[in-house]
Amino acid sequence: MTCAVRESGGGWRCAGVRWPREVPELGWSRGGDRRVSVLAYGAGLGFRAVGERHCVGARGNVCPLGAVVPGRSTGGRCAECARLDRAHSVAADTMADDPRTYRVYLAWFGPGMVKVGITGEERGAARLREQGAVAFSWLGRGPLMAARRTEEVLRAALGVPDRIPYAKKRSVRGQLPGTEERAGAVAELYARAAALEGRGWPESLERLPLEVVDQVSVFGLDRVPDPDPAPVRAVRESAPAPVRAVRELVDGGVVAGRLVAAAGPDLHLAVADGGVVVLDTRLITGWDLTAVTRTAEVTEVPGSDVRVPLIDIGGGGVQGGLF
């Protein structure tokens, strides 16, 4: 099968999924060098983790300690690099004199799951794709501190959180309501937010008109190829619900399947038993990965130790399995 994984012999390490455009890309780093692999729905993806997982560093810099980090860490950084990365982020409020324009957005991830946030205007909707927002609308634009103030006002007034756990987002992706209902939920939130203009809303923040952007097709959640590998495939109207997720990688652990959807850091892989497993690519950062080119290496070796721990998305029970 086709595999978008670079060989680790040259020291390349995965930097996770990024969304600069409306297709997911895997980033790779080796010292100061950077590369990307563009992913395609329907293509095979397979790799084996090798050795130990190392800290990915901070702000584009290599970890000076070369620290080993836990397999279940979604941050992929040692404590010192995590502190440095956080200190220079927009969320830390240490960039009050930032001259760039920021946008406030309203994001919908599933029934009852909405949030408000901010992102740099020059990034466009990349932040919304990175978070796995199923639908969203811009609300306003202006200086950083005005955007931050509006975000805080809306969180308090609307009773919406500043973040939604990825586990909750995953749990509803296979049962999303229709396009109109998704758009209606965003429009309702927008109306409630717009009604607060003049009541704590900074004058320097320009309100933007409602324009709901639906990303279901961008994520591949609406059209998933049939498991039949024949050139001409039937197409389902919606993605099958994922039931398992990778809990962590281990030395020698293999992940392989066919990419059927992606949202935020998550890759949805169709596996040999006909199910769909979610791989949170934040778990693969810092690992040396080698390509696996045959699904047989994963599914057809009785008693093989080629496996990674899985967790049941619905019930939270841990499973061990091959895929």
Side-chain angles (χ1 to χ4, degrees):
M1 66 182 172
T2 303
C3 182
V5 174
R6 295 178 179 272
E7 296 289 351
S8 68
W12 289 98
R13 286 183 179 158
C14 187
V17 164
R18 58 194 66 185
W19 290 87
R21 293 172 293 278
E22 292 187 348
V23 291
E25 299 177 354
L26 275 179
W28 303 91
S29 64
R30 181 176 64 184
D33 294 332
R34 300 290 184 270
R35 298 287 189 275
V36 296
S37 299
V38 178
L39 303 180
Y41 299 139
L45 177 70
F47 62 81
R48 185 191 307 275
V50 179
E52 295 179 309
R53 187 187 187 193
H54 291 84
C55 174
V56 297
R59 319 305 292 182
N61 298 306
V62 176
C63 174
L65 303 177
V68 174
V69 294
R72 298 186 191 181
S73 167
T74 54
R77 292 184 172 91
C78 66
E80 181 62 19
C81 286
R83 184 188 66 79
L84 291 173
D85 189 68
R86 176 74 179 179
H88 291 86
S89 71
V90 172
D93 284 336
T94 58
M95 306 164 63
D97 58 348
D98 190 332
R100 295 174 295 176
T101 299
Y102 283 79
R103 288 200 174 200
V104 182
Y105 61 80
L106 305 171
W108 185 91
F109 300 90
M113 284 183 260
V114 294
K115 63 161 288 188
V116 58
I118 70 172
T119 185
E121 186 169 68
E122 76 280 0
R123 298 199 67 210
R127 180 62 177 154
L128 282 303
R129 294 189 288 269
E130 291 168 356
Q131 293 187 17
V134 175
F136 74 92
S137 176
W138 301 116
L139 179 65
R141 64 186 297 272
L144 172 59
M145 298 315 290
R148 177 64 75 202
R149 173 60 180 164
T150 303
E151 181 185 35
E152 294 172 351
V153 168
L154 293 178
R155 284 177 185 166
L158 303 180
V160 297
D162 59 347
R163 64 185 61 208
I164 297 173
Y166 279 103
K168 292 185 65 176
K169 299 176 189 178
R170 293 180 194 118
S171 69
V172 299
R173 284 196 198 128
Q175 304 140 8
L176 294 174
T179 305
E180 291 186 4
E181 186 173 340
R182 299 193 296 265
V186 177
E188 179 184 3
L189 183 63
Y190 179 94
R192 292 172 58 200
L196 296 172
E197 194 168 6
R199 292 186 288 164
W201 184 303
E203 294 183 0
S204 56
L205 190 89
E206 170 193 356
R207 180 157 67 90
L208 297 173
L210 172 67
E211 184 177 351
V212 179
V213 178
D214 194 286
Q215 302 197 115
V216 162
S217 61
V218 172
F219 294 150
L221 296 173
D222 58 340
R223 294 174 61 83
V224 178
D226 189 86
D228 184 355
V232 178
R233 300 182 177 98
V235 177
R236 300 189 183 95
E237 293 182 355
S238 61
V243 295
R244 293 171 294 172
V246 174
R247 185 178 62 174
E248 65 178 313
L249 297 188
V250 294
D251 181 24
V254 168
V255 175
R258 185 165 48 81
L259 182 65
V260 295
D266 292 345
L267 301 181
H268 293 215
L269 301 173
V271 296
D273 64 4
V276 174
V277 170
V278 174
L279 170 66
D280 182 343
T281 57
R282 296 176 300 172
L283 296 174
I284 69 177
T285 58
W287 282 98
D288 281 344
L289 304 176
T290 60
V292 169
T293 57
R294 292 186 301 112
T295 305
E297 293 185 48
V298 188
T299 60
E300 298 176 5
V301 183
S304 172
D305 61 353
V306 180
R307 66 181 65 209
V308 293
L310 304 178
I311 188 168
D312 182 2
I313 291 177
V318 175
Q319 303 176 6
L322 306 179
F323 72 95

